[in-house]
Amino acid sequence: MDSFEVVPLPPGHFGDGSKSAWPKEQYWKQTDDRLYRQKLATMWMQKSGKLVRGEQYILDRLPDGYALLKRPRFSAPDIWDKFVYGHPSGACFNSPNQFFPHFYWPPGPKSVTVPMQSSRGRPLKNPKALPPRRPTDTEGTPDVFREAITKLKRLGEVDEPIHEHQSMDWRAGNKPIRENIVRLGLQGSYVPRVGEVVLWMPQLDGELRYDDSTGVYRVFSVKANRFMNIPKWRAGTIGQAPDKDPVVLADLIQPTSKEWAVNYSGFRVETFPDPNSDEKSSSLQYAYIHIHLIRPFYSWPIWLMNVPEKDWHSSIKYAMTVMSSFSLVDKYHFSGEWPDASVDCRGMFLGPEMIIAGDAVRLKPAGASLDTDLPSVTDVMVIDRIQFKLISCIDDAQSPLLAEKHQVRVRGKVYTLSPVRAYHELGEYGPPPLSRHEVINAFQQTSMTEYGPWYRAHKIGTLVEVSQDMIIGRCYEPSAMELVFGKTALNFDLAGMLASRDWARRADNRLHDDQHWFWADYRTQALGIDTLNGEDVGRYSDARNCKMWKAVLNILDGTASKGDYDAAKLPRRAGRPLSTTKDKSQFAEIGKMSTLVTRALHIDTSANVSSNEDVDNTTSSEDEGGDMAMAIDYRNKPLGGGSNGDNGNSDTQVNFSVSLPIRVDSVSPQKIKRPRLS
């Protein structure tokens, strides 16, 4: 600092800077602003005419409320990008040169009475009167939820679908996600879904049986007629589901005959990495397996019964660490009356599983805890709607929150196996169970009557609303339960769910002491993984070039500027560009053909177009001056014959089609006579 002349900024240099405008994400870090202060001071002294050649200048600080922040580049995390934040609009400056017009005061560093200059040199009477900017996220994508809240406050009531046309994620994934959700509703609930966490083993040489002598599930060899080793269970993420051969119920015991190999007819499962560490190499350990090697993750207490924890694969506890996290899927509708609002979603990832509207999910009994004997699970909800509720919305673009309180609520019809919990009218002694026809209409799953008699848990025409904490997981078909667990109990994984969530709330570094759930924006963030199916995901993806994506969307929407075509990195044809000037064809008119050609092709050029034939005088931009291919079929016709009376003498028969290029005169296409084919 001794070689620099320090230029002090007066207190309250200009008062528009605000720390509340800084980004709130955890990956933003404040960094050394020395270079910025040097360049700003030098440009300031030069602009005010006080620059002394050979002197070096530096500001004592950046203006109040402004700071230089850095974040890892999404496409290259080893590179850190720096920005100046603090402007009340939320905008940032990515260089000293860009920040200086906003910073500059003409009279010099000692005056505080002259208004601040705008980026175009015009004085601003009030810095906060800058043209309003659309609220955006850290990638520059418009925040449609913040805009919806602003609209809700202005109108008082809003009920409209959600469209994110300027989001490449939404444009590319909206339709496939909806199609996938429809397919999920048509398959069995016991089939694992992409993105779910499961318990799996790489192989099984025999049958999985319970060994009464040791109290452990082991591999039983039918040939040797004895128990072998303990399966090598591990936790993993479903990266791919069967694409060709569908999964059938018999596959739960042994894979049925498949037309396709396991990489098409099976599941790709990747070993789960440590969510609290940057080391994610274990996710590169994957296998393609059939469903008989997969179990629901919450059922780990059954399959690892009496197996010492030191013998567990490390991925199992890694997966337990994220069991108290969730993320919403396909937020498609916004509605509300100020100040409250709700966002409808088609699904959500909750702990290890994905649930969607229409699924039947098992509900946790009231008071269920690991410290007491676990009660029976009797209640099942058929989901009608999944909502993200915003209580007391905040209409402030600088606020990191959308509302003062956020909550997720799952709404649907509840049915119970317990007559005691069944709904009955006042004075009614005992409600009758649902008929077989009513059970079929109530559940999407088949054979639900095998669980026992079902009762309504509430009045007809009403719905029940629960939080995500009350949901254990999907309710599987009774036949699938019999094949995998040997019984049709609804509480087979209640202990595993409670233990996993308790472990997560103590082990997940992303949760504070007073937090019970980690709210993630997307599934890979909830799982804390960097790769899936061998591809980088999230902000680590090399393909995540937001500037290029924005340019591509502008081109698709017809609003592109000249710079967008460069930023879009569209592939272009190599070499010298084609000439736009085309020579006039020597065959612009059919009548100019030689007699030899016309006879060989059986074209009668002496006949004009009849008056009752329509002549198309319109030409498109593709046809003007271009080549048109006219296919002429000459099957079983004598070569050399013509329609003008010159019958060919040759008895040679030909069977071929000729593609005749015909040049069209773009100047006067109406003069062309249509050839008549014989």
Side-chain angles (χ1 to χ4, degrees):
M1 296 291 293
D2 296 337
S3 60
F4 289 87
E5 180 179 343
V6 179
V7 180
L9 284 180
H13 175 63
F14 48 86
D16 72 334
S18 174
K19 190 174 181 179
S20 63
W22 297 4
K24 306 299 189 297
E25 289 78 9
Q26 295 182 355
Y27 51 78
W28 284 96
K29 301 181 183 298
Q30 196 164 351
T31 187
D32 184 15
D33 58 7
R34 180 183 178 88
L35 181 61
Y36 267 69
R37 290 187 288 120
Q38 292 176 12
K39 292 187 175 182
L40 288 173
T42 302
M43 288 187 288
W44 194 359
M45 299 305 291
Q46 182 179 9
K47 193 74 173 178
S48 60
K50 298 181 180 181
L51 181 68
V52 177
R53 185 179 297 275
E55 290 287 340
Q56 299 186 74
Y57 302 91
I58 187 171
L59 297 177
D60 63 338
R61 70 184 192 282
L62 288 180
D64 297 338
Y66 285 85
L68 183 64
L69 305 178
K70 66 177 182 178
R71 62 159 172 78
R73 184 173 297 177
F74 298 127
S75 59
D78 295 335
I79 302 176
W80 292 78
D81 295 322
K82 300 178 181 180
F83 306 89
V84 172
Y85 274 94
H87 195 279
S89 69
C92 62
F93 305 91
N94 57 18
S95 70
N97 291 337
Q98 188 185 48
F99 183 48
F100 180 72
H102 183 71
F103 168 89
Y104 172 59
W105 290 8
K110 294 184 179 180
S111 174
V112 294
T113 59
V114 178
M116 180 189 68
Q117 293 283 327
S118 72
S119 59
R120 295 184 179 181
R122 295 191 298 269
L124 297 174
K125 295 181 180 180
N126 182 4
K128 294 186 178 181
L130 288 172
R133 296 173 179 263
R134 295 187 66 181
T136 60
D137 58 17
T138 56
E139 294 183 341
T141 304
D143 189 342
V144 296
F145 301 101
R146 177 66 65 188
E147 292 177 340
I149 290 176
T150 302
K151 184 177 181 180
L152 176 64
K153 183 177 182 180
R154 185 177 73 252
L155 301 179
E157 183 177 358
V158 171
D159 187 353
E160 61 186 17
I162 295 174
H163 298 292
E164 300 182 66
H165 294 295
Q166 296 189 32
S167 168
M168 179 62 82
D169 294 317
W170 188 87
R171 293 277 287 266
N174 181 50
K175 184 178 179 180
I177 287 176
R178 296 189 181 189
E179 292 175 349
N180 181 59
I181 289 176
V182 172
R183 286 194 295 268
L184 294 180
L186 299 177
Q187 69 183 20
S189 61
Y190 63 89
V191 180
R193 299 169 178 176
V194 174
E196 293 189 342
V197 178
V198 296
L199 197 69
W200 68 289
M201 50 181 150
Q203 59 183 8
L204 178 62
D205 299 327
E207 298 179 0
L208 185 62
R209 294 186 183 180
Y210 181 74
D211 186 358
D212 292 320
S213 61
T214 59
V216 177
Y217 277 92
R218 309 174 72 95
V219 178
F220 182 80
S221 174
V222 178
K223 292 183 178 180
N225 194 27
R226 64 185 181 90
F227 283 98
M228 307 296 286
N229 58 302
I230 299 176
K232 297 180 180 179
W233 293 105
R234 59 177 65 189
T237 309
I238 299 293
Q240 297 176 19
D243 184 47
K244 300 297 182 181
D245 293 307
V247 177
V248 296
L249 200 62
D251 290 331
L252 292 172
I253 303 176
Q254 191 72 20
T256 57
S257 177
K258 306 291 183 182
E259 294 183 7
W260 295 81
V262 66
N263 56 333
Y264 283 99
S265 61
F267 298 83
R268 176 185 169 117
V269 190
E270 302 178 3
T271 304
F272 201 86
D274 185 359
N276 292 329
S277 172
D278 292 333
E279 172 57 43
K280 309 291 185 181
S281 59
S282 59
S283 62
L284 301 178
Q285 304 171 15
Y286 69 92
Y288 287 93
I289 59 176
H290 289 292
I291 194 174
H292 74 293
L293 301 179
I294 299 175
R295 296 292 184 272
F297 181 77
Y298 279 155
S299 66
W300 60 263
I302 298 176
W303 311 111
L304 295 175
M305 184 187 308
N306 297 323
V307 177
E309 286 190 25
K310 63 181 181 63
D311 296 334
W312 292 8
H313 194 274
S314 59
S315 62
I316 295 176
K317 286 192 174 180
Y318 291 160
M320 291 171 61
T321 305
V322 300
M323 288 301 105
S324 195
S325 63
F326 70 93
S327 59
L328 301 172
V329 178
D330 193 12
K331 298 179 278 289
Y332 69 95
H333 195 272
F334 181 93
S335 61
E337 295 182 6
W338 182 260
D340 300 333
S342 62
V343 178
D344 291 342
C345 310
R346 287 191 168 86
M348 68 182 299
F349 282 99
L350 178 61
E353 291 187 351
M354 178 186 185
I355 60 176
I356 60 175
D359 278 343
V361 294
R362 293 164 292 125
L363 300 182
K364 181 179 67 173
S369 172
L370 293 174
D371 299 330
T372 60
D373 293 336
L374 296 179
S376 299
V377 176
T378 60
D379 297 351
V380 170
M381 170 183 282
V382 178
I383 298 177
D384 177 73
R385 181 174 296 181
I386 300 173
Q387 286 187 321
F388 174 41
K389 293 199 170 185
L390 307 172
I391 311 300
S392 299
C393 295
I394 301 175
D395 183 25
D396 181 4
Q398 306 305 323
S399 174
L401 302 176
L402 295 175
E404 295 181 3
K405 184 179 180 181
H406 310 77
Q407 60 186 21
V408 172
R409 291 294 181 263
V410 181
R411 185 183 303 176
K413 298 178 181 179
V414 177
Y415 303 93
T416 181
L417 294 173
S418 172
V420 178
R421 293 185 51 79
Y423 172 81
H424 58 275
E425 297 288 349
L426 185 64
E428 186 179 15
Y429 177 73
L434 298 179
S435 65
R436 181 179 181 84
H437 181 71
E438 289 175 323
V439 173
I440 294 175
N441 291 335
F443 298 97
Q444 290 185 357
Q445 293 89 336
T446 59
S447 306
M448 290 295 286
T449 54
E450 296 181 14
Y451 276 113
W454 291 97
Y455 302 86
R456 289 187 177 89
H458 53 87
K459 186 178 180 180
I460 297 177
T462 61
L463 298 175
V464 175
E465 195 173 78
V466 300
S467 68
Q468 77 278 2
D469 191 73
M470 291 294 297
I471 297 176
I472 302 174
R474 293 197 302 273
C475 181
Y476 304 132
E477 289 80 356
S479 50
M481 291 292 299
E482 284 285 355
L483 292 176
V484 177
F485 298 98
K487 57 181 179 180
T488 57
L490 295 178
N491 62 341
F492 69 95
D493 59 352
L494 177 60
M497 182 272 289
L498 294 174
S500 298
R501 290 181 183 176
D502 180 70
W503 173 272
R505 288 160 186 169
R506 291 183 288 111
D508 194 341
N509 293 342
R510 302 170 298 182
L511 292 175
H512 301 295
D513 294 337
D514 58 341
Q515 287 183 314
H516 286 179
W517 290 95
F518 175 70
W519 293 44
D521 291 331
Y522 41 89
R523 181 56 170 172
T524 54
Q525 184 187 41
L527 300 181
I529 58 178
D530 297 341
T531 62
L532 189 64
N533 293 325
E535 299 289 341
D536 292 337
V537 293
R539 65 188 183 96
Y540 297 97
S541 175
D542 291 334
R544 196 167 190 83
N545 188 330
C546 299
K547 182 179 180 181
M548 180 185 70
W549 288 357
K550 187 178 297 184
V552 170
L553 292 180
N554 289 339
I555 294 174
L556 293 176
D557 295 337
T559 60
S561 63
K562 183 178 179 181
D564 287 331
Y565 286 93
D566 295 330
K569 301 179 181 179
L570 299 177
R572 299 180 179 179
R573 182 177 298 174
R576 182 179 299 175
L578 297 176
S579 174
T580 57
T581 304
K582 296 186 178 181
D583 297 333
K584 186 176 180 180
S585 173
Q586 298 298 324
F587 298 95
E589 298 182 15
I590 298 297
K592 293 183 179 180
M593 287 185 179
S594 66
T595 306
L596 178 62
V597 173
T598 57
R599 287 186 176 182
L601 298 181
H602 290 254
I603 298 178
D604 183 4
T605 60
S606 63
N608 294 328
V609 179
S610 62
S611 59
N612 60 350
E613 290 180 317
D614 295 330
V615 179
D616 188 2
N617 293 331
T618 61
T619 57
S620 66
S621 59
E622 296 178 355
D623 294 336
E624 292 181 359
D627 292 340
M628 294 191 302
M630 178 178 293
I632 306 175
D633 193 6
Y634 295 98
R635 292 185 175 88
N636 301 323
K637 293 185 178 180
L639 184 62
S643 61
N644 55 0
D646 296 334
N647 296 326
N649 297 323
S650 174
D651 58 355
T652 305
Q653 301 293 318
V654 294
N655 186 7
F656 64 97
S657 294
V658 178
S659 182
L660 175 65
I662 302 177
R663 286 282 187 178
V664 178
D665 188 352
S666 61
V667 178
S668 55
Q670 66 275 11
K671 295 182 180 180
I672 300 176
K673 298 180 180 180
R674 182 180 300 171
R676 179 175 295 170
L677 305 182
S678 59

